Amino acid sequence: MSDEFNDQPSMAYWIIAGLLLSWNLIGLYMYYGQATATAETFATAGYTPEQIAFVMAEPIWGHSAYAIAVNAGVLGAILLLL
């Protein structure tokens, strides 16, 4: 057995970090879609007026928490890869 220390991450680390970045980029795309959507966008997608009212009534703190979480996830995954 060798006493040498390998300071490089294993291949599994890089695969998992890449998957995390992909997952968080998808989340960022979904956030952007929700943040830029209007009532007309939801109406053309087939939402009922009650569903549109529910989505549009999201509190600002909920929207802000979503934005912070998604952006922190993307930043964290990028930092894992660096």
Side-chain angles (χ1 to χ4, degrees), residues 2 13 16 28 60 68 78 82:
S2 175
Y13 174 86
I16 292 170
L28 185 64
I60 192 70
I68 291 168
I78 289 172
L82 292 177

Side-chain angles (χ1 to χ4, degrees), residues 55-73:
V55 171
M56 290 293 150
E58 179 184 15
I60 192 70
W61 60 265
H63 192 76
S64 299
Y66 186 21
I68 291 168
V70 169
N71 287 302

Side-chain angles (χ1 to χ4, degrees), residues 6-36:
N6 185 3
D7 62 347
Q8 295 187 354
S10 67
M11 183 57 73
Y13 174 86
W14 296 111
I15 292 171
I16 292 170
L19 288 172
L20 285 174
L21 180 61
S22 300
W23 180 262
N24 283 299
L25 286 174
I26 291 169
L28 185 64
Y29 174 75
M30 295 297 179
Y31 166 74
Y32 179 74
Q34 182 179 348
T36 59

